[in-house]
Amino acid sequence: MDFTKVSENLKARGYAVQCFATAREAADYLNGAIDGVSVGFGGSMTLEQMGLFERLSGHNRALWHWREGTAEDPRKEALTADVYVTSVNGMDEDGDLINIDGAGNRVAATLFGHRKVYFVVGRNKLAPTYEEALWRARNISAPKNAQRLQRKTPCAAKGDKCYDCKSPERICRGLVVLWKPMMGMEAEVVLVDEDLGY
Ligand code: SF4
């Protein structure tokens, strides 16, 4: 995939950008760039597939609620880690970063509390327009996450689209769209030319 246009647009918005052909190369890069710090992880199948926690935890204080015993309350401690790593549910070619969250820790951590945030984005997350990126976040990412979490929601039962449900187990509670990096925090987008997460 040609990341030229989206890279230029992201840089114009103030993001640092790195592009890699493979998840392995991206993981190698992040493993070198994040060293000797505390690093929080957002709930992310992208990061899981990259094996990033296992690599970074060897030489950083790595905090992830998807791993036992990293902290008493890893989600809370991750909120003020030096560095935070996560992905997005959708991104458009203009450079809008879209995330939907249930508990809110992941989206909150993209807004405040760190020296730097990294967004690791596989090519499957990229859509031409904001409307299409939002559509994929709502109709692809969220239903697949609901299925993964075995929620009693229509999207998890059918796996085809969002039903904008009123289920008590609805995982879609808040939407954050980043137009630019937040003030006072560095942000970098790591683009990977492979499908990663959902
Ligand atoms: S709003 Fe409900 S139906 Fe739609 S994706 Fe979220 S959990 Fe599924």
PDB file of all heavy atoms in Angstrom, residues 138 142-143 146 153-156 161-167 169-172, ligand 1:
ATOM      1  N   ARG A 138     -17.005   1.458  13.546  1.00  0.00           N
ATOM      2  CA  ARG A 138     -18.282   1.042  14.150  1.00  0.00           C
ATOM      3  C   ARG A 138     -18.733  -0.334  13.674  1.00  0.00           C
ATOM      4  O   ARG A 138     -19.298  -1.102  14.457  1.00  0.00           O
ATOM      5  CB  ARG A 138     -19.374   2.067  13.833  1.00  0.00           C
ATOM      6  CG  ARG A 138     -19.088   3.438  14.426  1.00  0.00           C
ATOM      7  CD  ARG A 138     -20.336   4.257  14.572  1.00  0.00           C
ATOM      8  NE  ARG A 138     -21.224   3.687  15.576  1.00  0.00           N
ATOM      9  CZ  ARG A 138     -22.393   4.204  15.908  1.00  0.00           C
ATOM     10  NH1 ARG A 138     -22.827   5.285  15.299  1.00  0.00           N
ATOM     11  NH2 ARG A 138     -23.145   3.639  16.827  1.00  0.00           N
ATOM     12  N   ALA A 142     -15.639  -2.721  16.110  1.00  0.00           N
ATOM     13  CA  ALA A 142     -16.439  -2.912  17.328  1.00  0.00           C
ATOM     14  C   ALA A 142     -17.131  -4.279  17.362  1.00  0.00           C
ATOM     15  O   ALA A 142     -17.046  -4.978  18.383  1.00  0.00           O
ATOM     16  CB  ALA A 142     -17.436  -1.769  17.478  1.00  0.00           C
ATOM     17  N   PRO A 143     -17.807  -4.713  16.299  1.00  0.00           N
ATOM     18  CA  PRO A 143     -18.415  -6.050  16.366  1.00  0.00           C
ATOM     19  C   PRO A 143     -17.389  -7.170  16.602  1.00  0.00           C
ATOM     20  O   PRO A 143     -17.657  -8.117  17.349  1.00  0.00           O
ATOM     21  CB  PRO A 143     -19.099  -6.195  14.995  1.00  0.00           C
ATOM     22  CG  PRO A 143     -19.397  -4.789  14.579  1.00  0.00           C
ATOM     23  CD  PRO A 143     -18.233  -3.989  15.083  1.00  0.00           C
ATOM     24  N   ALA A 146     -16.515  -7.085  20.181  1.00  0.00           N
ATOM     25  CA  ALA A 146     -17.630  -7.622  20.981  1.00  0.00           C
ATOM     26  C   ALA A 146     -17.636  -9.149  20.921  1.00  0.00           C
ATOM     27  O   ALA A 146     -17.894  -9.830  21.930  1.00  0.00           O
ATOM     28  CB  ALA A 146     -18.949  -7.046  20.483  1.00  0.00           C
ATOM     29  N   THR A 153     -24.447  -9.031  22.654  1.00  0.00           N
ATOM     30  CA  THR A 153     -24.871  -7.910  21.808  1.00  0.00           C
ATOM     31  C   THR A 153     -25.252  -8.477  20.439  1.00  0.00           C
ATOM     32  O   THR A 153     -24.748  -9.534  20.034  1.00  0.00           O
ATOM     33  CB  THR A 153     -23.726  -6.887  21.629  1.00  0.00           C
ATOM     34  OG1 THR A 153     -22.614  -7.556  20.999  1.00  0.00           O
ATOM     35  CG2 THR A 153     -23.273  -6.310  22.961  1.00  0.00           C
ATOM     36  N   PRO A 154     -26.134  -7.785  19.721  1.00  0.00           N
ATOM     37  CA  PRO A 154     -26.511  -8.311  18.394  1.00  0.00           C
ATOM     38  C   PRO A 154     -25.330  -8.412  17.441  1.00  0.00           C
ATOM     39  O   PRO A 154     -25.266  -9.342  16.625  1.00  0.00           O
ATOM     40  CB  PRO A 154     -27.558  -7.301  17.896  1.00  0.00           C
ATOM     41  CG  PRO A 154     -27.454  -6.111  18.779  1.00  0.00           C
ATOM     42  CD  PRO A 154     -26.880  -6.573  20.080  1.00  0.00           C
ATOM     43  N   CYS A 155     -24.392  -7.501  17.539  1.00  0.00           N
ATOM     44  CA  CYS A 155     -23.236  -7.549  16.627  1.00  0.00           C
ATOM     45  C   CYS A 155     -22.367  -8.771  16.897  1.00  0.00           C
ATOM     46  O   CYS A 155     -21.812  -9.363  15.964  1.00  0.00           O
ATOM     47  CB  CYS A 155     -22.403  -6.286  16.751  1.00  0.00           C
ATOM     48  SG  CYS A 155     -21.619  -6.086  18.372  1.00  0.00           S
ATOM     49  N   ALA A 156     -22.252  -9.148  18.174  1.00  0.00           N
ATOM     50  CA  ALA A 156     -21.446 -10.326  18.504  1.00  0.00           C
ATOM     51  C   ALA A 156     -22.147 -11.599  18.058  1.00  0.00           C
ATOM     52  O   ALA A 156     -21.509 -12.550  17.601  1.00  0.00           O
ATOM     53  CB  ALA A 156     -21.167 -10.367  20.002  1.00  0.00           C
ATOM     54  N   LYS A 161     -22.448  -6.397  11.486  1.00  0.00           N
ATOM     55  CA  LYS A 161     -22.438  -4.931  11.502  1.00  0.00           C
ATOM     56  C   LYS A 161     -22.815  -4.450  12.897  1.00  0.00           C
ATOM     57  O   LYS A 161     -23.176  -5.244  13.766  1.00  0.00           O
ATOM     58  CB  LYS A 161     -23.447  -4.374  10.494  1.00  0.00           C
ATOM     59  CG  LYS A 161     -24.882  -4.739  10.850  1.00  0.00           C
ATOM     60  CD  LYS A 161     -25.869  -4.040   9.930  1.00  0.00           C
ATOM     61  CE  LYS A 161     -27.298  -4.302  10.420  1.00  0.00           C
ATOM     62  NZ  LYS A 161     -28.305  -3.577   9.680  1.00  0.00           N
ATOM     63  N   CYS A 162     -22.739  -3.148  13.083  1.00  0.00           N
ATOM     64  CA  CYS A 162     -23.215  -2.533  14.329  1.00  0.00           C
ATOM     65  C   CYS A 162     -24.719  -2.351  14.254  1.00  0.00           C
ATOM     66  O   CYS A 162     -25.251  -1.921  13.230  1.00  0.00           O
ATOM     67  CB  CYS A 162     -22.542  -1.183  14.518  1.00  0.00           C
ATOM     68  SG  CYS A 162     -23.248  -0.236  15.885  1.00  0.00           S
ATOM     69  N   TYR A 163     -25.389  -2.663  15.349  1.00  0.00           N
ATOM     70  CA  TYR A 163     -26.844  -2.473  15.439  1.00  0.00           C
ATOM     71  C   TYR A 163     -27.181  -1.279  16.338  1.00  0.00           C
ATOM     72  O   TYR A 163     -28.334  -1.114  16.704  1.00  0.00           O
ATOM     73  CB  TYR A 163     -27.502  -3.758  15.948  1.00  0.00           C
ATOM     74  CG  TYR A 163     -27.449  -4.867  14.936  1.00  0.00           C
ATOM     75  CD1 TYR A 163     -26.311  -5.663  14.801  1.00  0.00           C
ATOM     76  CD2 TYR A 163     -28.515  -5.112  14.076  1.00  0.00           C
ATOM     77  CE1 TYR A 163     -26.228  -6.664  13.857  1.00  0.00           C
ATOM     78  CE2 TYR A 163     -28.446  -6.118  13.120  1.00  0.00           C
ATOM     79  CZ  TYR A 163     -27.300  -6.891  13.016  1.00  0.00           C
ATOM     80  OH  TYR A 163     -27.231  -7.882  12.059  1.00  0.00           O
ATOM     81  N   ASP A 164     -26.186  -0.499  16.698  1.00  0.00           N
ATOM     82  CA  ASP A 164     -26.392   0.640  17.603  1.00  0.00           C
ATOM     83  C   ASP A 164     -27.266   0.205  18.787  1.00  0.00           C
ATOM     84  O   ASP A 164     -28.278   0.820  19.103  1.00  0.00           O
ATOM     85  CB  ASP A 164     -27.029   1.813  16.857  1.00  0.00           C
ATOM     86  CG  ASP A 164     -26.855   3.129  17.616  1.00  0.00           C
ATOM     87  OD1 ASP A 164     -26.030   3.178  18.556  1.00  0.00           O
ATOM     88  OD2 ASP A 164     -27.556   4.098  17.280  1.00  0.00           O
ATOM     89  N   CYS A 165     -26.809  -0.864  19.435  1.00  0.00           N
ATOM     90  CA  CYS A 165     -27.662  -1.572  20.404  1.00  0.00           C
ATOM     91  C   CYS A 165     -27.842  -0.798  21.708  1.00  0.00           C
ATOM     92  O   CYS A 165     -27.097   0.128  22.006  1.00  0.00           O
ATOM     93  CB  CYS A 165     -27.039  -2.935  20.718  1.00  0.00           C
ATOM     94  SG  CYS A 165     -25.495  -2.829  21.658  1.00  0.00           S
ATOM     95  N   LYS A 166     -28.848  -1.222  22.447  1.00  0.00           N
ATOM     96  CA  LYS A 166     -29.065  -0.687  23.794  1.00  0.00           C
ATOM     97  C   LYS A 166     -28.721  -1.750  24.835  1.00  0.00           C
ATOM     98  O   LYS A 166     -29.173  -1.702  25.978  1.00  0.00           O
ATOM     99  CB  LYS A 166     -30.501  -0.225  23.943  1.00  0.00           C
ATOM    100  CG  LYS A 166     -30.831   0.953  23.030  1.00  0.00           C
ATOM    101  CD  LYS A 166     -32.125   1.620  23.363  1.00  0.00           C
ATOM    102  CE  LYS A 166     -32.288   2.954  22.633  1.00  0.00           C
ATOM    103  NZ  LYS A 166     -31.922   2.926  21.224  1.00  0.00           N
ATOM    104  N   SER A 167     -27.940  -2.713  24.436  1.00  0.00           N
ATOM    105  CA  SER A 167     -27.562  -3.796  25.343  1.00  0.00           C
ATOM    106  C   SER A 167     -26.793  -3.283  26.549  1.00  0.00           C
ATOM    107  O   SER A 167     -25.942  -2.398  26.418  1.00  0.00           O
ATOM    108  CB  SER A 167     -26.677  -4.795  24.575  1.00  0.00           C
ATOM    109  OG  SER A 167     -25.996  -5.626  25.490  1.00  0.00           O
ATOM    110  N   GLU A 169     -24.490  -4.767  27.758  1.00  0.00           N
ATOM    111  CA  GLU A 169     -23.112  -5.178  27.495  1.00  0.00           C
ATOM    112  C   GLU A 169     -22.491  -4.440  26.308  1.00  0.00           C
ATOM    113  O   GLU A 169     -21.427  -4.826  25.829  1.00  0.00           O
ATOM    114  CB  GLU A 169     -23.046  -6.697  27.296  1.00  0.00           C
ATOM    115  CG  GLU A 169     -23.449  -7.452  28.554  1.00  0.00           C
ATOM    116  CD  GLU A 169     -23.026  -8.904  28.548  1.00  0.00           C
ATOM    117  OE1 GLU A 169     -22.207  -9.288  27.694  1.00  0.00           O
ATOM    118  OE2 GLU A 169     -23.535  -9.647  29.403  1.00  0.00           O
ATOM    119  N   ARG A 170     -23.178  -3.415  25.845  1.00  0.00           N
ATOM    120  CA  ARG A 170     -22.628  -2.610  24.735  1.00  0.00           C
ATOM    121  C   ARG A 170     -21.203  -2.155  25.062  1.00  0.00           C
ATOM    122  O   ARG A 170     -20.949  -1.614  26.136  1.00  0.00           O
ATOM    123  CB  ARG A 170     -23.542  -1.396  24.498  1.00  0.00           C
ATOM    124  CG  ARG A 170     -22.981  -0.399  23.501  1.00  0.00           C
ATOM    125  CD  ARG A 170     -24.009   0.710  23.213  1.00  0.00           C
ATOM    126  NE  ARG A 170     -23.393   1.798  22.487  1.00  0.00           N
ATOM    127  CZ  ARG A 170     -23.931   2.452  21.459  1.00  0.00           C
ATOM    128  NH1 ARG A 170     -25.141   2.114  21.029  1.00  0.00           N
ATOM    129  NH2 ARG A 170     -23.309   3.429  20.856  1.00  0.00           N
ATOM    130  N   ILE A 171     -20.279  -2.393  24.126  1.00  0.00           N
ATOM    131  CA  ILE A 171     -18.888  -1.992  24.367  1.00  0.00           C
ATOM    132  C   ILE A 171     -18.586  -0.606  23.804  1.00  0.00           C
ATOM    133  O   ILE A 171     -17.526  -0.052  24.089  1.00  0.00           O
ATOM    134  CB  ILE A 171     -17.871  -3.005  23.782  1.00  0.00           C
ATOM    135  CG1 ILE A 171     -18.001  -3.115  22.267  1.00  0.00           C
ATOM    136  CG2 ILE A 171     -18.012  -4.363  24.462  1.00  0.00           C
ATOM    137  CD1 ILE A 171     -16.834  -3.835  21.613  1.00  0.00           C
ATOM    138  N   CYS A 172     -19.493  -0.080  23.011  1.00  0.00           N
ATOM    139  CA  CYS A 172     -19.242   1.218  22.369  1.00  0.00           C
ATOM    140  C   CYS A 172     -19.843   2.306  23.245  1.00  0.00           C
ATOM    141  O   CYS A 172     -21.046   2.568  23.199  1.00  0.00           O
ATOM    142  CB  CYS A 172     -19.872   1.245  20.987  1.00  0.00           C
ATOM    143  SG  CYS A 172     -19.362  -0.169  19.990  1.00  0.00           S
TER     144      CYS A 172
HETATM  145  S1  SF4 B   1     -23.130  -0.368  19.554  1.00  0.00           S
HETATM  146 FE1  SF4 B   1     -23.753  -2.442  20.200  1.00  0.00          FE
HETATM  147  S2  SF4 B   1     -24.224  -3.460  18.263  1.00  0.00           S
HETATM  148 FE2  SF4 B   1     -22.982  -1.682  17.741  1.00  0.00          FE
HETATM  149  S3  SF4 B   1     -20.903  -2.480  17.650  1.00  0.00           S
HETATM  150 FE3  SF4 B   1     -21.219  -1.588  19.688  1.00  0.00          FE
HETATM  151  S4  SF4 B   1     -21.817  -3.339  20.963  1.00  0.00           S
HETATM  152 FE4  SF4 B   1     -22.103  -3.931  18.810  1.00  0.00          FE
END
